[in-house]
Amino acid sequence: MALENSHLPPPFEELMRRHEREIMRYLLRVTGHREDAADLFQETFIRAYRAYPRINPDGNLRSWLYTIATNLCRNRARDSARRSRVIVQSSDDPPPDALGKSHCSPHEDAGYAAVRMRELVSGLPAKQRQSIHLRYFAGFEYAEIAAAMGCSEESARANVSQAMRKLKATW
Amino acid sequence: MKIEDLVGLIGSEFGDEVVDELLHRVRRGFDDALNLIRRPQAALGVVKSPLGNLLVATSARGIALNHFMDAGSDLAATIAHLRLDFDPVEDEKAVGEIGKEVRGYLAGDADALRHHVDLTLAKNPFQQKVLRKLQDVPRGAVVSYQALGAAAGAPRGARAVGNALHNNPVPIYVPCHRVIAAQGRIGGYGGGLPRKLQLLRSEGFAMDNAAKRVPDSVVWGHKVTRIYCRMDCRTTARVDRNRILMFASPQEARRAGMRACKICHPDAPA
């Protein structure tokens, strides 16, 4: 006689095997930095392990992992912003707004386009930035984005569409 | 190219080999960190017994959970509770041994329950203490809620003892069926009264399913003097009831290392 699956979630190791590549890729994408991604990856799964007994086994485990990763990225960004506030922005770096339309159209090279798109995205407000990562990398529905970001479905939708409008305008 | 596709491109400068290399690099440190907070693994499965299906969890520390599956309690909640302290893995084979022990025990083998008992799932230190004290009550004897409370340091805590038994994570192995109400009434049982009576019958008490009290044939054994008496012995009127175990028969009392009272001669036929 076997137990029903709904009662017993998969072992943590299996959950990790299933999603580790995807989460690592997501963290690389969001941070753009290998060391940061590796750190956050470890922290994400340690937190996930701690909280694993308390989550509903019927729930969406994938989006739950993304939620943890997203929150950790947000914490990391906030803390490093706090630390670097004293550093005066160098006049060599143009502020994000200056990276405007005038900036040629190098669209042929995908690698370059990716880097430039990252620059544009990193100029967006944090909520909009996270929303579009979840939407266009993880492929989340708006309801899942809302759950991951702790906001309503309407504002998730608004965040994504405002971000896309801005990106279209500056690209 | 659409702007959505361009947004999707972010991070594509990190190829599969970068992801693989990072995962490889992180894994070692991660395993070390995880081992520091890892919960013990427990084999979880369902075993059949004459008392119905049991949900059983065992780990290296012993049997942690033995749950009557049809007792009207929520299975999902039970497993959720188990998961707070253990990482359960479904393993029918590892828990099969428990089924064998329970079947053997009900068939009359007094030493069948060989697994060590792990009280991790008991709710608090008091309940843990009650359950540990209860393990000293031998097969063939019963004790009252009040006397068990006294043994656990709470002589006025009969109801708290009842709660502890209600939350007993390992019934049968921790013999909460051996606890009865004062004055010899049967009391209740988390797994349902018929199970309590069935267990007590297998331990030598002559009771059918309609029984309301322990039979008059029980003898009273005093835990300190190690003497057992008939229920109507004149010494029982002034004895401290918190020190009494009720045995199914004089033989059971002798097996527990007690001697017969020289006033009421409990061994002589009534």
Side-chain angles (χ1 to χ4, degrees):
Chain A
M1 187 180 166
L3 286 168
E4 293 163 46
N5 280 339
S6 60
H7 289 137
L8 199 62
F12 187 75
E13 278 72 15
E14 192 188 321
L15 176 79
M16 195 168 160
R17 250 197 317 280
R18 226 183 278 165
H19 297 297
E20 60 183 4
R21 297 183 62 81
E22 188 184 1
I23 294 292
M24 182 64 97
R25 213 181 277 279
Y26 174 70
L27 290 168
L28 275 170
R29 175 193 163 104
V30 174
T31 61
H33 195 280
R34 293 174 196 217
E35 298 309 316
D36 281 356
D39 271 10
L40 290 170
F41 175 87
Q42 171 151 341
E43 210 170 329
T44 301
F45 279 96
I46 290 286
R47 284 199 184 199
Y49 180 79
R50 276 189 205 279
Y52 198 42
R54 284 185 298 282
I55 82 143
N56 179 2
D58 302 333
N60 183 343
L61 297 175
R62 176 171 174 261
S63 75
W64 171 66
L65 286 174
Y66 271 101
T67 304
I68 301 176
T70 304
N71 287 341
L72 287 172
C73 288
R74 179 161 32 181
N75 292 354
R76 170 75 54 116
R78 182 193 58 210
D79 293 350
S80 61
R82 200 175 286 155
R83 270 196 293 279
S84 62
R85 200 169 290 158
V86 285
I87 301 168
V88 180
Q89 194 172 26
S90 144
S91 56
D92 300 344
D93 303 335
D97 330 29
L99 299 166
K101 265 184 172 168
S102 58
H103 206 293
C104 65
S105 53
H107 302 169
E108 311 82 43
D109 180 4
Y112 183 76
V115 172
R116 170 143 167 69
M117 189 47 96
R118 172 187 297 289
E119 277 173 17
L120 290 182
V121 167
S122 66
L124 293 173
K127 281 184 191 167
Q128 296 180 6
R129 195 171 60 228
Q130 283 157 7
S131 308
I132 63 167
H133 281 311
L134 289 174
R135 175 80 183 154
Y136 293 107
F137 176 78
F140 274 23
E141 298 297 324
Y142 288 109
E144 292 175 302
I145 299 178
M149 309 255 313
C151 63
S152 70
E153 201 173 323
E154 289 72 28
S155 44
R157 209 178 279 276
N159 279 332
V160 171
S161 83
Q162 279 162 19
M164 293 316 281
R165 188 153 13 106
K166 280 188 205 169
L167 290 175
K168 269 178 202 156
T170 45
W171 181 251
Chain B
M1 208 172 194
K2 276 169 59 186
I3 200 94
E4 286 82 0
D5 299 330
L6 286 166
V7 172
L9 274 182
I10 299 177
S12 61
E13 68 268 32
F14 300 108
D16 284 347
E17 67 289 347
V18 178
V19 175
D20 283 334
E21 189 241 304
L22 275 179
L23 282 175
H24 181 75
R25 180 147 41 107
V26 163
R27 200 157 282 145
R28 183 106 178 255
F30 177 76
D31 287 344
D32 289 347
L34 192 61
N35 281 335
L36 293 176
I37 58 168
R38 203 180 266 284
R39 295 174 284 271
Q41 211 168 64
L44 182 71
V46 179
V47 301
K48 286 193 164 67
S49 85
L51 295 169
N53 287 329
L54 301 167
L55 178 69
V56 172
T58 61
S59 73
R61 299 185 202 162
I63 174 169
L65 179 73
N66 187 21
H67 178 78
F68 295 114
M69 287 181 69
D70 58 349
S73 60
D74 187 358
L75 199 58
T78 306
I79 295 180
H81 187 220
L82 174 75
R83 288 177 63 220
L84 294 177
D85 291 298
F86 293 94
D87 281 340
V89 184
E90 194 167 358
D91 187 347
E92 295 279 323
K93 227 172 96 189
V95 297
E97 197 63 26
I98 301 289
K100 233 180 279 170
E101 289 186 8
V102 171
R103 283 191 293 273
Y105 187 75
L106 283 163
D109 177 2
D111 303 318
L113 304 179
R114 275 178 281 270
H115 261 74
H116 185 258
V117 172
D118 172 17
L119 292 177
T120 304
L121 295 184
K123 282 203 168 142
N124 57 46
F126 173 73
Q127 300 200 348
Q128 235 171 44
K129 190 170 179 189
V130 168
L131 296 175
R132 255 200 310 276
K133 288 286 173 194
L134 176 54
Q135 288 178 284
D136 299 338
V137 177
R139 184 178 192 271
V142 291
V143 67
S144 72
Y145 291 99
Q146 190 192 338
L148 183 58
R156 291 178 57 76
R159 291 192 166 197
V161 168
N163 278 333
L165 303 182
H166 177 76
N167 295 325
N168 179 5
V170 207
I172 307 176
Y173 279 78
V174 176
C176 59
H177 56 276
R178 289 182 201 151
V179 186
I180 60 168
Q183 322 301 334
R185 279 171 293 110
I186 300 292
Y189 193 58
L193 214 47
R195 286 202 177 106
K196 183 170 189 172
L197 291 167
Q198 190 178 347
L199 278 160
L200 288 174
R201 256 200 311 276
S202 80
E203 297 181 350
F205 286 89
M207 288 187 287
D208 58 21
N209 270 344
K212 295 270 185 290
R213 311 172 48 81
V214 291
D216 290 342
S217 59
V218 297
V219 296
W220 286 26
H222 196 285
K223 282 199 268 187
V224 179
T225 62
R226 315 298 293 171
I227 296 174
Y228 64 91
C229 303
R230 290 177 198 272
M231 266 170 87
D232 52 5
C233 178
R234 63 183 156 85
T235 60
T236 59
R238 52 189 152 81
V239 75
D240 177 2
R241 303 221 168 179
N242 286 346
R243 297 192 165 157
I244 293 299
L245 290 172
M246 291 182 193
F247 288 93
S249 65
Q251 291 86 338
E252 299 290 355
R254 279 199 298 277
R255 194 173 302 149
M258 300 197 175
R259 72 157 173 86
C261 169
K262 290 175 182 169
I263 299 169
C264 65
H265 301 289
D267 292 342

